[in-house]
């Protein structure tokens, strides 16, 4: 018989040696085959395992962002789920086959029970992680498909460089509150994250919910409100947090969008006109859903500067100090206005979002992924297309390593009842230019640029400094 050809050797293993080879075969594929003379199959299995390990090491060396870029694509996630399930089943079958090859020919009752029990335990040990990983992949696909938008018609599946020739990427972050007994949705928290795609430097521009008569973008909305948004009658004040629901209730103001998309579309363009920026995408989080997300990762640690009233009927308060808040407590920390005002609440909300983003480490997310995925599907909506996710992951990594600053347009600089919108646009431009060293590109808006100072406007403040 040729060297290396399969040749079954007489079974000569005792109960202990057989169980040891079964355990070894679960860790090193093909070990039992080699021990019993099945060299060709043994080396094939060993080569397959070595190849999988090598692929894993290469992926680790390339970096987690590359892996994340793959596993946020629905097609890849479907394939990954299938591969993981197949791997789990195949690995368990290999354990069983190895046990049958190396067990004694006529084992005693004790040896037979011990060997079978060991093989069953090993099957569970190798298949369970694969099943869990397949579950995570399947849930990830559900999240991607339910939260993120389908690619628009004609949208390239994988743009080579979606930020090409772009100095900023602007994403509107919305905190929405649909309270019982109050019709519609109110966008009580609105922040634009303006990101430099080259460096990751980010400036958060916070807009008060009660900015009066916000200027409307071109189109039917401006034709209806040529001098700024005035609301839907006496019971609906013309402030910024009413734009979303107005668009949903009046389809004619956003005729190009479908139900559920009119509000975000008009709000994005309205906020963009206020700030003088092109808002690329939005991400909206329902406030009650936000509490579920916090609970899903086991709470969030924040530094509370002053007591915050807890509960709708002043049921208690959140004491000052650094502490870990549950979802319900975090919700009240972010939404309570008792003892403060909208602007203090805006500051707390930004600190809360910053803390949550920094504390949601990969191990915590993986450990609680099931709950987190279900909470995310209920709480989050966005118009970010699925094919853009890999590029956004790379951008998010830059943001995490860069400085995040915050600018809020609040009194005394900006009076929400009579906002100076040209000043807001100038301050936005100044904040971006001064922080990044870029030259001013927009030459269409007249007037001198204000310098940051005690009487001129808000200086961009590090979000980490503002929250501690």
């Amino acid at each position: 018989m040729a060297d290396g050809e399969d040749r079954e050797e007489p079974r000569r293993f005792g109960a202990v040696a057989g169980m040891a080879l079964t355990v070894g075969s679960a860790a090193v594929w093909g070990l039992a085959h080699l021990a019993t003379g099945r060299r060709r199959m043994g080396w094939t299995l060993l080569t397959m395992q070595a190849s999988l390990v090598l692929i894993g090491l290469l992926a680790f060396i390339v970096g987690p962002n590359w892996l994340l870029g793959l596993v946020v694509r629905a097609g890849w996630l479907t394939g990954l789920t299938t591969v993981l399930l197949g791997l789990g089943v195949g690995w368990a079958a290999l354990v069983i086959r190895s046990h049958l090859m190396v067990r004694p020919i006529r084992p005693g009752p004790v040896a037979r029970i011990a060997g079978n029990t060991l093989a069953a335990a090993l099957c569970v040990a190798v298949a369970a992680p694969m099943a869990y990983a397949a579950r995570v992949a399947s849930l990830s696909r559900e999240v991607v498909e339910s939260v993120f938008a389908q690619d628009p018609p004609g949208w390239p599946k994988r743009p080579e460089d979606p930020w090409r020739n772009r100095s900023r990427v602007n994403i509107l972050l919305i905190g929405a509150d649909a309270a019982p007994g109050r019709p519609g949705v109110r966008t009580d928290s609105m922040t634009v994250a303006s990101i430099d795609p080259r460096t990751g430097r980010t400036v958060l521009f916070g807009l008060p919910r009660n900015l009066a008569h916000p200027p409307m973008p071109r189109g039917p909305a401006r034709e209806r409100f040529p001098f700024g948004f005035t609301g839907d009658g006496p019971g609906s004040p013309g402030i910024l947090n009413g734009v979303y629901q107005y668009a949903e209730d009046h389809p004619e103001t956003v005729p190009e969008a479908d139900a559920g998309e009119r509000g975000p579309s008009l709000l994005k363009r309205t906020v963009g006109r206020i700030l003088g920026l092109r808002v690329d995408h939005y991400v909206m989080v329902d406030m009650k859903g936000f509490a579920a997300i916090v609970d899903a990762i086991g709470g969030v640690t924040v530094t509370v500067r002053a007591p915050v009233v807890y509960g709708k009927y002043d049921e208690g308060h959140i004491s000052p100090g650094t502490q870990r808040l549950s979802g319900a407590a975090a919700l009240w920390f972010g939404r309570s206005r008792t003892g403060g005002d909208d602007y203090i609440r805006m500051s707390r909300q930004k600190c809360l979002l910053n803390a949550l983003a920094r504390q949601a480490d990969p191990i915590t997310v993986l450990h609680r992924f099931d709950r987190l995925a279900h909470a995310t599907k209920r709480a989050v909506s966005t118009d970010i297309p699925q094919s853009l996710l890999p590029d956004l992951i790379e951008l998010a990594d830059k943001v995490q390593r860069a400085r995040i600053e915050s600018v809020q347009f609040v009194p005394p600089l900006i009076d929400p009842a009579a906002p100076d919108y040209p000043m807001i646009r100038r301050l936005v431009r100044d904040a971006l230019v001064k922080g990044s060293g870029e030259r001013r590109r927009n030459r269409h808006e007249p007037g001198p640029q204000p310098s940051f100072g005690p009487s001129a406007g808000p200086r961009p403040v590090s979000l980490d400094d503002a929250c501690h």
Side-chain angles (χ1 to χ4, degrees):
M1 186 174 290
D3 191 32
E5 201 172 311
D6 284 353
R7 181 181 56 203
E8 184 175 357
E9 296 180 359
R11 191 176 300 176
R12 59 183 184 278
F13 306 108
V16 174
M19 287 190 288
L21 281 170
T22 301
V23 173
S25 296
V28 181
W29 295 358
L31 184 62
H33 290 73
L34 293 172
T36 56
R38 298 169 173 84
R39 296 183 181 86
R40 181 178 298 167
M41 180 57 68
W43 284 112
T44 299
L45 291 169
L46 191 58
T47 301
M48 289 172 57
Q49 185 182 31
S51 299
L52 290 174
V53 172
L54 181 61
I55 291 172
L57 288 174
L58 288 175
F60 179 79
I61 292 171
V62 170
N65 286 339
W66 180 80
L67 285 175
L68 288 173
L70 291 179
V71 300
V72 292
R73 303 184 196 178
W76 278 88
L77 289 168
T78 300
L80 181 60
T81 302
T82 303
V83 168
L84 289 170
L85 288 175
L87 183 59
V89 172
W91 202 341
L94 176 61
V95 170
I96 295 172
R97 176 60 178 158
S98 299
H99 169 62
L100 293 176
M101 287 191 302
V102 299
R103 69 179 178 176
I105 297 176
R106 293 183 178 85
V110 174
R112 183 173 61 253
I113 293 173
N116 292 342
T117 301
L118 175 65
L122 288 171
C123 287
V124 172
V126 299
M130 297 297 103
Y132 181 76
R135 170 68 173 163
V136 169
S138 178
L139 284 173
S140 298
R141 178 184 57 79
E142 292 178 14
V143 171
V144 168
E145 292 182 336
S146 63
V147 173
F148 294 93
Q150 294 292 328
D151 295 341
W155 182 273
K157 286 298 180 184
R158 187 71 167 90
E160 292 183 4
D161 183 6
W163 327 126
R164 183 173 52 193
N165 301 325
R166 295 290 307 280
S167 60
R168 313 294 304 182
V169 177
N170 303 304
I171 300 176
L172 173 60
L173 309 175
I174 306 169
D177 198 357
R182 187 180 67 186
V185 173
R186 296 295 180 266
T187 54
D188 284 344
S189 174
M190 288 160 284
T191 300
V192 170
S194 185
I195 308 165
D196 185 332
R198 297 180 301 278
T199 66
R201 176 185 175 264
T202 301
V203 181
L204 303 178
F205 295 108
L207 293 167
R209 59 187 285 276
N210 58 340
L211 277 179
H213 311 309
M216 294 283 97
R218 289 180 180 176
R222 188 189 294 185
E223 292 171 5
R224 180 166 297 186
F225 301 107
F227 305 108
F229 180 66
T230 56
D232 196 13
S236 175
I239 57 178
L240 185 59
N241 81 331
V243 170
Y244 180 102
Q245 191 59 42
Y246 185 90
E248 290 294 331
D249 294 339
H250 298 81
E252 66 277 8
T253 58
V254 196
E256 71 280 4
D258 297 327
E261 299 175 357
R262 302 182 190 110
S265 176
L266 185 58
L267 185 60
K268 277 170 51 181
R269 289 182 290 140
T270 301
V271 168
R273 181 159 174 77
I274 291 172
L275 299 178
L277 299 173
R278 186 183 85 176
V279 177
D280 301 289
H281 300 287
Y282 81 93
V283 178
M284 185 167 71
V285 180
D286 172 75
M287 295 305 288
K288 288 185 178 179
F290 175 79
I293 291 175
V294 172
D295 283 332
I297 68 165
V300 59
T301 301
V302 297
T303 298
V304 182
R305 291 184 171 182
V308 177
V309 172
Y310 184 100
K312 186 174 181 179
Y313 301 104
D314 297 351
E315 300 158 12
H317 65 273
I318 302 172
S319 302
T322 300
Q323 54 191 290
R324 195 160 188 84
L325 303 180
S326 67
L331 180 60
W332 283 108
F333 175 78
R335 81 189 326 183
S336 177
R337 284 193 293 266
T338 306
D341 53 29
D342 273 342
Y343 314 115
I344 294 176
R345 183 176 71 158
M346 288 169 58
S347 178
R348 290 201 306 266
Q349 288 171 351
K350 288 182 177 60
C351 292
L352 188 61
L353 291 172
N354 184 55
L356 186 65
R358 293 189 181 279
Q359 293 169 35
D361 60 275
I363 294 177
T364 299
V365 170
L366 186 62
H367 180 63
R368 300 172 179 269
F369 193 82
D370 201 311
R371 292 181 61 190
L372 184 59
H374 284 96
T376 300
K377 286 192 293 183
R378 295 195 306 269
V380 179
S381 59
T382 180
D383 65 347
I384 295 174
Q386 296 176 18
S387 60
L388 198 60
L389 291 178
D391 299 284
L392 279 176
I393 286 174
E394 295 180 9
L395 187 60
D397 183 61
K398 292 181 181 179
V399 171
Q400 194 170 27
R401 291 184 280 108
R403 184 178 178 86
I404 300 178
E405 300 167 338
S406 178
V407 176
Q408 298 190 45
F409 300 107
V410 298
L413 176 67
I414 301 297
D415 178 7
D420 186 340
Y421 289 113
M423 175 182 284
I424 290 176
R425 288 189 286 272
R426 290 196 299 270
L427 292 173
V428 167
R429 188 169 60 243
D430 234 26
L432 298 179
V433 171
K434 284 182 176 294
S436 62
E438 298 173 352
R439 293 185 176 182
R440 188 177 62 196
R441 292 186 173 90
N442 188 344
R443 302 178 182 276
H444 299 293
E445 189 167 343
Q449 297 299 302
S451 60
F452 289 109
S455 61
R459 182 186 301 274
V461 176
S462 166
L463 196 56
D464 287 332
D465 295 340
C467 294
H468 297 288

